[in-house]
Amino acid sequence: MKKVELLAPAGSLETLKVAVNCGADAVYIGGKLFGARAYAVNFGEEELKEAVEYCHLRDKKIYITVNTLIFNKEIDLLTDYIDYLYKLNVDAIIVQDFGIVKLLREYYPEINIHASTQMTLSNLESIKAAKEAGVKRVVLPRELTLKEIKNIKANTGIEVETFVHGALCVSYSGQCLFSSIIGGRSGNRGRCAGPCRLKYDFVDEKGNIIEGNKHLLSMADLCTIDYVGDMIQSGVDSFKIEGRMKEKEYVASVVLSYRKAIDAHYDSEKFDVSKHIEMMSRIFNRGFSNGYLYERKPSMMSYINPKNRGIPLGKVLSKGNGRLKLKLYSSLFVGDGISTETGEHGFKVDKIVADGIKVDDADEGQTVELKDMPVKVGDIIFKTYDVKLNRQFSNIKEYKSPIDVFVKMKENMPLYIKLKNSGIEVVNSGKVDAVKAVKKAIDRDTLIEKVSSINDTPFAVRTIEIDMDEGLFLPLSEIKETRRTAVENLIKTKLHYNEPKNIHIKLTDDVQAKSKDLKISFYTENLEHVKIASQVGVDRIYFDYRLKDEELKKVRQYCEGCEIIPAFPQVVRDEIKNAEDELKKIKDIGFKKVLVTNLGLYNLSLKLGLDVCIDFNLNVVNSLSVDFFKGADTITLSTELNLAQIEDITKRKNTKFESIAYGRLPLMIMEYCPIKNLISCDRNACESGKYSLRDRKGNFIKIVSDGFCRVKLLNSSILIMGDKIDDLKKAGLSYIRVNDTIESDDEIENVLKAYKNSLDFGTYDFHIENYTRGHFYRGVL
């Protein structure tokens, strides 16, 4: 019976070894390039080689993250890097960029592709399409329920990897632009600054504070150790632990705990869940929840402290003279770290006083004195670093791959050793014949001892079988050398390296002459705004029809002089029960084009003969991704590209390209709803943008629904490029899009007229104070 894989993170070689030695079946790591944790220590080339060898010699798999978006100028560097990973014979590469999928399938078909959660493959059709594209495994979005996971596995057969423990992003991975837009550090490029962990006020349309100065987007950590059986039964192939930025003690505690839980399930043994949750809590936690496994809208958040809150240590009884008295809920040791509940104040304990005596430790129930900190009597102090527990993870026994040994020692024949390990068999014969002993013969125990002395190797003898004649002599050095050579042969056999392919991709720019006319497209979810756009004379309207065919029919009646293109929401899950039927309905009504937001809709649309427009959230940032979506009529490029990068793509391809040039860009899209959590479900208020988050600079971030009870946060500054039409033309775009979100009828009419006049007559008269140029002139890191 194939067991579920336990997959551990490692941000350094030391942590990788800890993960393997604590029971991980596989490890995922990042190199110095193109990994979604750019601020981890990560692995240089020699360290990557050592990491692969360490894992493979111990029968563990190793997956390398190449899960960021790649710009055209980086493609040569990318191919060199992938070539090196191919040479090392890594077990899989984890990718986000669809262009890398194309590159791997075309030039490196031997490499297994794992689709990162950054791809946002959130529905069955997308995962079917990923499998068709050559993806072996899908890392599912954290937002999927156990029911959805089970359905995906049952109807695709693809390998499914699911997060089981660690930090939860509040946004759908791959759909978060928060760090990118406010600071230029792109999460899609591995440089997320974590603005979701900052403090915000929750306010109404008048600016009244409903909930203030809290970490309102900070999620509690995922912990599913008490649901291991349910996840195994759902068909999950790999349990993924988050944490490439975490310390080795965190990895050790989590891997050990889940290893025991998994083994107990398969062995039908009892498992002490609470014991292991308590242990993991003492190392790192923001509070634990089961995430989205059983509910679409998680309520467990970490509003008070977005950092490690540890476990309750004790209650403040009194304060004075620079000291505080604490009644302990748990043991305390010199060297422990403690903090306030908010995590804003804390220190490492260097002195404990109990009953007037300086002590090294104190037990639960005791009253102790510590140096003062900014707390009040009655407050709870938390222990955030447990020195004693951390020390337990400092000397973990090294895991060895078991080998079975057969030794034959016969007169007038060289020593013969056969090693069996993980389906591999190697043999070696010595260079010196065994002869009758003149003085002291080699006895059986001595032969076993010398052949088994492999403690300095990745192997451990599991069984040893000896076939020997008595009374023979062989130099001990010959036994050692024969054994050493046999082990070396085993290592060489297990470490299979590939010859580099030295692939070099030349990005061509021999496109046919394209029309230099720039047109205006308009995206809206408002039927009245469709009328306005039609009257103004825009060239193309994307209408989010929310699966209502009666509205689609009305839209066609309003607009005769422009293209009307039905659009799907940014994230699609099982609310679309049958995507193929929805697309057929669109076609039957008479539409010829559709705006798609995920891989499944793209594939289905092409198969049905519809012309496909790719939306911005599919993160096309390079020419290889354009080639992946070669069937597209129009591609809306990522909002993270600057003008020079846009031009570098448009000049090479005959596809029509589009960029969003007006609107409140979505910072993130999420299942978590602050309105529901902090007040109650209020769909009308959610869809109209009644509530906002106010940041520390006083900016208002609107909270709106996508129509399917998912929440978008909209940038406080409006993207304006209407006065920069010439720059957009030079970039080679075919369309610039005005993106409608919460604008009034008058606002939309004014914006559309201003952009139309700027495009047609070179005059522009629409001005607002709080605007941004997005990334058109700065780009992202």
Side-chain angles (χ1 to χ4, degrees), residues 245-288:
M245 298 284 285
K246 298 289 200 313
E247 301 293 333
K248 65 180 184 298
E249 291 83 6
Y250 165 88
V251 172
S253 68
V254 178
V255 172
L256 281 169
S257 297
Y258 279 82
R259 176 77 278 151
K260 290 182 179 180
I262 292 167
D263 292 346
H265 171 81
Y266 285 110
D267 296 337
S268 300
E269 295 178 350
K270 289 185 177 180
F271 175 71
D272 191 340
V273 172
S274 59
K275 171 186 172 183
H276 287 274
I277 290 178
E278 194 269 342
M279 179 182 74
M280 292 186 291
S281 297
R282 288 162 62 192
I283 295 294
F284 189 97
N285 82 94
R286 296 183 181 93
F288 285 144

Side-chain angles (χ1 to χ4, degrees), residues 78-90:
L78 170 70
T79 53
D80 288 344
Y81 183 51
I82 288 178
D83 208 51
Y84 182 69
L85 298 180
Y86 170 72
K87 175 186 174 182
L88 293 182
N89 197 31
V90 301

